[in-house]
């Protein structure tokens, strides 16, 4: 009897240890936030971002963190699949959808006992087949219907695509510039924006949708987290803010910090500060619930800043290019990880990481294997987290429209004409991509081009359904 009791106790303790070893995972992502917008990446930024800065001070800051694409939908797919979006037909924003044959991170974590939730922007398919909604929702986009509940999520509160960053359901009735406006004080002068928030069952949400949109999103994410903690269940939460994607709108509370700026800048800066406030609110809640020490909290943007440098407020610092470009300013984004006990406070790394790395990193953290042999483009960052001075051996490939790029160590080749001509840059010596080295090192260009071509063929094979 004692032996049986001792054996049972050993098994129970082992199970409890296993549960304790499963970190909670939160993927926070901004929309069109430039790498130069948070002050922790750019001391000269005019934007107040104390809570994002605190994340960098408390964790690991990635100096070379990449969105898998220079626009949102493809990057979002990479976060959940660990694969380049050209493998499953999401070539650009509002193109294709997340296929059910793809294996997603929430799907895998759910099998390991996690509660899974998605809050904010989705942009991986339409959310209704019956009413006109956002960019593609409704009968005309029925073939792209692909809500979170089809991909391993237990809970969700999502929009198909963009919404205003304040009072997200409305816009000025006489708006001439849909890129930005001041918060609407008289709702009689407003009309519907044309995009719904949808609950997990597919019903349009009608309550608690006024005010700052980042707060509206966090109002749904926090109860999900609280519920998982109360049930002693590890959780995965994707918190994908709309800010600062156009149209940018800031409430008076946050716009007042920027009264000396023109409307576009004032509303852009204000909505980023409002988003930052919600990052702080999230971290405070994790601490209150005593789960901060066992949570991997990631922060990034889905691509570089919108608009032209000098005309739009988002900052890519000195990096070349912006949103829609495979030059550094279009894909190099702010990346931070806070994971107490694993990341060292105030540390930085030049290790190149990409949003496709999320899935293999999280699986490695919980000791899980990927279930089949299909190609995965991301790698586990666990060793790089433990030793930020490590070098990445796995190249990173990019495709977007006629643009192609291949990162290998500090070197990068890029083509803007579908591979007809190539440029070569040493990103360690020339991060602003000002000095093309292709003519000086043709052998390196050819070697990297061959590697890219083989990878591109692999993506094409996946896109043709060979992985399924």
């Amino acid at each position: 009897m004692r032996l049986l009791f001792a054996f049972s106790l050993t098994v129970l303790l082992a199970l409890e240890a296993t549960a304790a070893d499963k970190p909670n995972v939160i993927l926070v992502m901004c929309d069109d936030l430039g790498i130069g917008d948070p002050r922790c990446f750019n001391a000269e930024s005019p934007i107040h971002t104390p809570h994002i800065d605190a994340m960098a001070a408390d964790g690991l800051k990635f100096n070379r963190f990449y969105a898998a694409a220079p626009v949102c939908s493809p990057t979002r797919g990479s976060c959940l699949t660990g694969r380049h979006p050209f493998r499953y037909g999401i070539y650009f924003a509002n193109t294709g959808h997340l296929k059910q044959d793809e294996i997603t991170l929430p799907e895998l974590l759910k099998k390991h006992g996690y509660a899974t939730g998605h809050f904010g922007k989705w942009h991986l398919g339409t959310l209704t087949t019956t009413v006109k909604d956002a960019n593609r929702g409704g009968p005309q986009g029925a073939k792209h219907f692909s809500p979170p509940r089809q991909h391993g999520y237990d809970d969700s509160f999502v929009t198909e695509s963009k919404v205003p960053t304040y009072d997200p359901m409305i816009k000025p009735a006489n708006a001439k510039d849909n890129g930005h406006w001041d918060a609407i004080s008289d709702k009689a002068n407003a009309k519907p924006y044309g995009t719904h928030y949808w609950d997990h069952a597919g019903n349009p949400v009608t309550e608690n949708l006024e005010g700052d949109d980042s707060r509206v999103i966090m109002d749904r994410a926090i109860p999900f987290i609280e519920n998982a903690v109360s049930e002693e269940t590890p959780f995965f939460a994707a918190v994908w803010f709309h800010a600062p994607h156009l149209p940018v709108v800031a409430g008076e509370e946050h716009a007042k910090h920027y009264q000396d700026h023109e409307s576009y800048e004032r509303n852009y800066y204000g909505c980023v500060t409002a988003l930052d406030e919600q990052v702080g609110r999230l971290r405070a809640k994790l601490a209150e619930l005593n789960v901060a020490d066992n949570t991997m909290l990631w922060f990034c943007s889905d691509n570089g800043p919108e608009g032209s440098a000098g005309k739009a407020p988002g900052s890519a610092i000195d990096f070349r290019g912006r949103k829609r470009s495979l030059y550094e300013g279009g894909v190099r984004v702010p990346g931070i990880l806070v994971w107490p006990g694993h990341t060292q406070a105030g540390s930085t790394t030049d290790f190149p990481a990409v949003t496709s790395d999320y899935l293999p990193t999280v699986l490695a953290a919980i000791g899980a294997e990927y279930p089949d042999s299909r190609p995965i483009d991301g790698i586990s960052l666990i060793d790089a987290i433990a030793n930020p001075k490590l070098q990445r051996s796995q190249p990173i490939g990019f495709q977007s429209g006629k643009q192609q790029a291949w990162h290998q160590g500090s070197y990068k080749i890029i083509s803007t004409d579908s591979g007809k001509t190539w440029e070569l840059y040493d990103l360690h010596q020339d991060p602003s991509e000002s000095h093309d080295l292709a003519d000086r090192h043709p052998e390196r260009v050819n070697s990297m081009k061959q590697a890219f071509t083989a990878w591109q063929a692999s993506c094409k094979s996946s896109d043709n359904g060979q992985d399924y």
Side-chain angles (χ1 to χ4, degrees):
M1 192 65 166
R2 286 181 181 175
L3 286 174
L4 180 60
F5 174 77
F7 175 76
S8 300
L9 182 60
T10 300
V11 171
L12 179 61
L13 291 174
L15 288 173
E16 288 180 348
T18 301
D21 289 342
K22 291 180 178 178
N24 307 305
V25 181
I26 304 176
L27 305 184
V28 174
M29 187 156 61
C30 306
D31 200 341
D32 295 359
L33 185 76
I35 189 170
D37 289 336
R39 286 187 177 171
C40 53
F41 285 88
N42 175 18
E44 297 181 358
S45 174
I47 310 176
H48 302 294
T49 54
H51 299 291
I52 298 170
D53 301 343
M55 279 192 67
D58 292 343
L60 176 63
K61 184 175 78 170
F62 290 82
N63 293 326
R64 286 185 64 188
F65 194 94
Y66 291 97
V71 291
C72 63
S73 297
T75 294
R76 294 166 194 279
S78 74
C79 292
L80 300 186
T81 65
R83 287 155 50 92
H84 190 272
F86 271 46
R87 293 191 183 277
Y88 40 87
I90 302 182
Y91 315 118
F92 208 73
N94 304 308
T95 302
H97 61 274
L98 188 57
K99 300 174 181 176
Q100 290 195 54
D101 289 323
E102 284 297 310
I103 299 171
T104 68
L105 183 54
E107 190 178 322
L108 293 171
L109 290 178
K110 190 172 181 178
K111 293 179 180 178
H112 287 271
Y114 278 70
T116 55
H118 194 107
F119 308 93
K121 190 172 184 179
W122 176 238
H123 221 188
L124 290 172
T126 62
L127 302 172
T128 176
T129 60
T130 58
V131 300
K132 179 172 174 51
D133 179 58
N135 295 331
R136 298 187 294 165
Q140 78 280 9
K143 68 178 180 180
H144 295 301
F145 182 70
S146 185
R149 63 181 178 274
Q150 293 183 353
H151 301 286
Y153 282 108
D154 298 315
D155 193 11
S156 60
F157 169 76
V158 291
T159 66
E160 178 196 319
S161 51
K162 67 182 184 296
V163 294
T165 59
Y166 189 90
D167 282 344
M169 298 293 100
I170 60 175
K171 63 181 177 180
N174 58 352
K176 295 181 180 179
D177 183 357
N178 288 329
H180 61 89
W181 56 80
D182 293 332
I184 303 170
S185 56
D186 184 356
K187 300 302 190 288
N189 295 325
K191 62 181 180 181
Y193 185 70
T195 297
H196 295 84
Y197 266 109
W198 301 89
D199 68 16
H200 196 60
N203 303 306
V205 179
T206 59
E207 297 180 352
N208 187 15
L209 299 176
E210 295 185 348
D212 179 63
D213 179 64
S214 296
R215 191 268 306 155
V216 167
I217 293 168
M218 196 59 71
D219 279 357
R220 273 63 178 204
I222 283 180
F224 165 80
I225 292 170
E226 290 175 327
N227 186 63
V229 173
S230 70
E231 295 182 354
E232 300 184 357
T233 302
F235 62 85
F236 168 79
V239 182
W240 289 0
F241 295 116
H242 295 100
H245 191 294
L246 302 181
V248 287
V249 188
E252 175 60 26
E253 178 183 356
H254 301 102
K256 67 182 180 183
H257 300 292
Y258 309 103
Q259 289 302 322
D260 294 337
H261 295 269
E262 297 296 328
S263 174
Y264 191 179
E265 289 81 6
R266 182 171 64 252
N267 284 289
Y268 184 97
Y269 299 162
C271 81
V272 173
T273 295
L275 178 157
D276 176 84
E277 186 176 279
Q278 295 306 313
V279 171
R281 179 185 173 197
L282 172 63
R283 295 194 68 201
K285 178 57 67 173
L286 295 175
E288 176 191 322
L289 296 173
N290 294 317
V291 295
D293 288 348
N294 192 39
T295 298
M296 299 178 77
L297 177 60
W298 296 88
F299 176 91
C300 78
S301 179
D302 63 344
N303 46 251
E306 177 65 89
S308 302
K311 295 182 179 180
S315 173
I317 322 177
D318 294 326
F319 294 114
R320 183 177 177 181
R322 295 168 73 88
K323 180 179 179 178
R324 303 179 188 84
S325 172
L326 286 184
Y327 288 108
E328 291 295 282
V331 287
R332 193 187 289 211
V333 298
I336 305 171
L337 170 64
V338 176
W339 188 17
H342 300 270
T343 54
Q344 183 176 349
S347 57
T348 62
T349 181
D350 292 324
F351 189 94
V354 63
T355 47
S356 303
D357 295 336
Y358 280 147
L359 183 144
T361 301
V362 173
L363 290 187
I366 68 170
E369 298 288 335
Y370 193 75
D372 68 21
S373 60
R374 71 184 65 183
I376 295 294
D377 298 296
I379 64 170
S380 170
L381 300 175
I382 293 296
D383 290 342
I385 292 167
N387 182 3
K389 293 184 179 180
L390 284 181
Q391 302 292 314
R392 185 182 183 116
S393 59
Q394 177 82 5
I396 305 174
F398 297 84
Q399 303 180 73
S400 184
K402 293 183 179 181
Q403 302 176 88
Q404 302 168 348
W406 189 250
H407 293 231
Q408 191 166 335
S410 66
Y411 287 96
K412 169 184 178 179
I413 57 171
I414 181 170
S415 172
T416 58
D417 56 9
S418 300
K420 295 176 183 177
T421 60
W422 292 87
E423 302 162 22
L424 172 68
Y425 298 99
D426 181 345
L427 296 176
H428 179 70
Q429 300 293 332
D430 180 28
S432 61
E433 298 170 292
S434 301
H435 305 289
D436 181 6
L437 304 175
D439 290 343
R440 299 188 204 175
H441 303 287
E443 301 87 357
R444 183 180 293 276
V445 173
N446 287 333
S447 174
M448 294 177 70
K449 184 170 65 174
Q450 289 176 10
F452 171 83
T453 301
W455 173 76
Q456 185 182 42
S458 173
C459 289
K460 185 65 175 177
S461 176
S462 297
D463 196 26
N464 288 333
Q466 297 304 306
D467 299 342
Y468 311 142

